[in-house]
Amino acid sequence: MTRVLVLGGTGEARALAARLVERPGTHVTSSLAGRVREPRLPPGQVRVGGFGGADGLAEWLRRERIDALVDATHPFARAITDNAVTAAERAGVPRLLLRRPGWRPGPGDDWRPVPSMPAAAAALPGLGERVFLSTGRQGLAHFAALDLWFLVRTVDPPEPPLPARTEVLTARGPFTVDEEADLLRRHRIDVLVTKDSGGAMTAAKLTAARELGLPVVVVQRPPQPAGPSAETVAEAVAWLDSVLPQGDHAG
């Protein structure tokens, strides 16, 4: 029996877990950070909550006799990824970064790339008075001092501090282009702020912004750590086949 730990509550993490639980001779544990109140659970064994930093994760890998670790966390979950790198090295466990490709601007897009959330806040004055802030619950305090109107969309209600003029919309994607365009029109949005999360689940807002001629402030991803990486679940499965002991799980 080979044992695999999958970090992350992303769609790729769930899809990988679904592939692995069907493979004879493979036991998969999916670990979720616990930041979403009602997460979409992957098949197989699931644990929720942190490990206690890199040291705690390394000890867990040893205790559970994990044969391979796949980091399929959100592209902006840098602290978890850093801990995974350190823990895998200490425990001597092969590690793969599974990360979907980032978005790329196309003809007609008016994107303003910035390196961080504070830089996104600094870029807003002059772009418009009404902002659609679609960056999740983390980092909203960077926008609190701006005298602008914000529509904030998150899966769970955000915690203060928030901008003084804020309307909160709790919703979970995926969303269609028509739904996003209607949202932008109804709220008279002038500018969209988003992280470069990649993937199709939340990309419709970018198409809607292009169709409406709106500028988009895009927070760029932090740099990836060195080491093996994959962009698709199929690539991750192939990597696992290359590092795990050959047996009934292969194929």
Side-chain angles (χ1 to χ4, degrees), residues 219-238:
V219 181
Q220 298 174 307
R221 298 177 174 191
Q224 290 189 179
S229 64
E231 292 187 342
T232 67
V233 171
E235 292 175 358
V237 170

Side-chain angles (χ1 to χ4, degrees), residues 2 4 6 12-24 26 28 68-72 96-99 229-246 248-251:
T2 57
V4 179
V6 178
E12 290 78 17
R14 292 190 297 273
L16 178 60
R19 289 279 296 270
L20 296 180
V21 296
E22 299 296 329
R23 291 156 62 94
T26 300
V28 58
L69 183 158
V70 179
D71 174 5
L96 176 75
L97 181 69
L98 172 56
R99 191 137 297 170
S229 64
E231 292 187 342
T232 67
V233 171
E235 292 175 358
V237 170
W239 176 83
L240 287 169
D241 283 338
S242 73
V243 300
L244 293 177
Q246 295 300 305
D248 292 338
H249 71 275

Side-chain angles (χ1 to χ4, degrees), residues 103 131-136 151-154 169-195 197-214 216:
W103 292 316
V131 183
F132 180 23
L133 193 56
S134 179
T135 56
L151 174 65
V152 173
R153 183 170 68 192
T154 59
L169 173 63
T170 55
R172 190 198 299 265
F175 308 100
T176 67
V177 173
D178 288 344
E179 288 170 339
E180 297 290 62
D182 179 66
L183 183 73
L184 296 173
R185 291 192 189 98
R186 282 191 290 109
H187 292 279
R188 307 191 311 279
I189 298 299
D190 300 312
V191 56
L192 165 66
V193 181
T194 187
K195 293 177 177 178
S197 299
M201 187 170 180
T202 58
K205 61 192 171 188
L206 301 173
T207 303
R210 179 175 65 243
E211 292 180 352
L212 296 176
L214 301 182
V216 182

Side-chain angles (χ1 to χ4, degrees), residues 54-55 57-58 61-62 80-92 95:
D55 290 341
L57 177 54
L61 293 173
R62 297 188 192 99
I80 301 174
T81 291
D82 287 345
N83 286 341
V85 171
T86 301
E89 290 178 351
R90 291 177 180 173
R95 174 192 58 86

